[in-house]
């Protein structure tokens, strides 16, 4: 979709981090923007912060783990703006849960937000984009953790591998319809994702904080450090806009992590050598 001005974007997880940066970049490109998020007060502040950035930015409360909530957000967006062209399934959470603490609640929460949330976004908007026929683009936020399991055995890695896989399949199916798909695979980005439990609905049980001296606790501390020195979210957003305009599928923002993916592919090929 070369021309973004005058079009409309919907962004989940839009109240902060990469989602807000995407909203800001879309607004500055002349798009109408609907930010969707589970956190009401932060969402209101985010909408306010973009008040003068673009033609019209609004917010809608949405819990991406709930298909009905995503459906309502889609309806509200169409009522507000008419046709929606760019849909960013970006909301995501992280929780500890490796071999030290295999908490099913952690797995359910992370998979519900990071995987089912993406699915619900696609289900709620794709029929609309196909029907209006003005073209569109679906942007799914995965991670480098969707291509390399550097974070170990964890629900986050499982969810992001799934998002990469489903996006690859979706892109192939939507290409003939003229609808683009992009999967975003950043490394560490300076956002609030490290305050990981703040949006955890009660049905996923209490927050589990690993012992700081355990391997899981040490991994968390390392991740917190890497997040603090991570890339600015605006840089991720700039790459995404360029990918939408140029119809690029993979968005990478951390070229220094290329080796991790090469190592994985080499291991896969070595497996084939033994076939
Ligand atoms: N920060 C990083 O280093 C990094 C790296 C790679 C990928 N990502 C991915 O980028 C995406 C955005 O994360 P971020 O880093 O900007 O984190 P963030 O915590 O700053 O933003 C995530 C947003 O999602 C919202 N959210 C959480 N649960 C929700 C739910 N159930 N329904 C709707 N909204 C919900 C939060 O309120 C928050 O505004 C995620 O998918 C994340 O996995 C982040």
């Amino acid at each position: 979709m070369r021309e973004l001005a005058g079009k409309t974007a919907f962004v989940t997880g839009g109240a902060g981090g990469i989602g807000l940066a995407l909203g800001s970049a879309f607004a500055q490109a002349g798009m109408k923007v609907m930010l969707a998020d589970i956190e009401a007060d932060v969402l209101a502040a985010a909408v306010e912060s973009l008040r003068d950035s673009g033609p019209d930015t609004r917010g809608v409360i949405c819990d991406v783990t709930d298909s009905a909530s995503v459906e309502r957000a889609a309806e509200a967006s169409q009522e507000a703006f008419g046709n929606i062209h760019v849909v960013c399934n970006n909301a995501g959470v992280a929780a500890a849960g490796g071999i030290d603490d295999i908490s099913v609640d952690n797995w359910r929460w992370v998979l519900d937000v990071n995987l089912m949330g993406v699915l619900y976004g696609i289900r709620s908007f794709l029929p609309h984009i196909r029907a209006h026929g003005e073209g569109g683009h679906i942007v799914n936020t995965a991670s480098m953790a969707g291509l390399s399991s550097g974070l170990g055995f964890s629900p986050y890695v499982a969810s992001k591998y799934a998002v990469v896989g489903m996006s690859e399949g979706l892109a192939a199916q939507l290409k003939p319809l003229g609808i683009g798909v992009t999967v975003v695979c950043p490394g560490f980005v300076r956002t609030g994702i490290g305050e990981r439990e703040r949006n955890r609905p009660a049905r996923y049980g209490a927050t589990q904080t690993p012992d700081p001296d355990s391997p899981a606790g040490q991994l968390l501390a390392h991740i917190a450090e890497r997040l603090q020195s991570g890339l600015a979210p605006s840089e991720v957003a700039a790459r995404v806009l360029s990918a939408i305009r140029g119809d690029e599928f993979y968005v990478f923002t951390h070229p220094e992590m290329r080796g991790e993916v090469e190592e994985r592919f080499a291991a896969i090929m070595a497996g084939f050598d033994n076939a």
Side-chain angles (χ1 to χ4, degrees):
M1 235 173 55
R2 290 224 66 83
E3 192 50 64
L4 297 182
K7 303 254 174 44
T8 300
F10 173 88
V11 185
T12 67
I18 295 170
L20 178 56
L22 284 169
S24 171
F26 289 139
Q28 284 170 43
M31 297 183 81
K32 289 167 276 178
V33 179
M34 183 65 91
L35 302 176
D37 206 282
I38 197 171
E39 210 176 356
D41 49 344
V42 186
L43 176 63
V47 170
E48 184 56 32
S49 76
L50 298 189
R51 181 195 279 276
D52 300 322
S53 299
D56 195 352
T57 299
R58 303 189 200 180
V60 62
I61 301 289
C62 170
D63 176 357
V64 301
T65 67
D66 174 359
S67 59
S69 174
V70 180
E71 196 59 44
R72 282 194 299 274
E75 283 163 13
S77 304
Q78 287 161 49
E79 268 166 35
F81 293 134
N83 293 344
I84 313 295
H85 306 88
V86 174
V87 174
C88 298
N89 298 303
N90 165 79
V93 294
I99 52 173
D100 296 319
D101 174 18
I102 303 176
S103 150
V104 173
D105 278 341
N106 276 357
W107 281 79
R108 282 179 45 244
W109 178 45
V110 173
L111 289 173
D112 278 356
V113 177
N114 296 9
L115 172 57
M116 299 310 287
V118 173
L119 174 68
Y120 296 149
I122 295 166
R123 274 175 55 97
S124 292
F125 282 96
L126 187 52
H128 163 75
I129 294 175
R130 290 178 73 162
H132 70 54
E134 293 176 0
H137 205 101
I138 294 177
V139 178
N140 297 329
T141 305
S143 168
M144 279 304 295
L147 288 158
S148 155
S149 54
L151 298 179
F153 171 70
S154 75
Y156 191 77
V157 169
S159 71
K160 296 302 186 179
Y161 267 66
V163 171
V164 171
M166 77 199 279
S167 302
E168 287 174 350
L170 186 70
Q173 284 187 287
L174 294 188
K175 201 174 177 62
L177 306 178
I179 300 171
V181 177
T182 289
V183 67
V184 189
C185 299
F188 289 101
V189 183
R190 213 161 50 239
T191 72
I193 198 166
E195 301 145 36
R196 58 202 159 79
E197 304 284 346
R198 71 187 197 276
N199 298 313
R200 183 184 179 118
R203 67 182 180 282
Y204 296 107
T207 296
Q208 291 124 6
T209 311
D211 177 349
D213 294 328
S214 69
Q218 284 167 1
L219 179 62
L220 273 184
H222 170 72
I223 290 171
E225 249 178 63
R226 297 286 303 272
L227 284 171
Q228 264 181 19
S229 58
L231 197 68
S234 57
E235 295 196 41
V236 180
R239 279 290 302 118
V240 171
L241 261 73
S242 143
I244 296 172
R245 290 187 172 114
D247 198 17
E248 296 166 41
F249 179 71
Y250 293 107
V251 163
F252 296 114
T253 53
H254 291 65
E256 69 277 15
M257 294 177 87
R258 184 187 186 113
E260 287 186 25
V261 178
E262 282 173 343
E263 258 176 49
R264 172 169 170 245
F265 287 165
I268 292 171
M269 290 307 137
F272 270 106
D273 290 344
N274 297 331

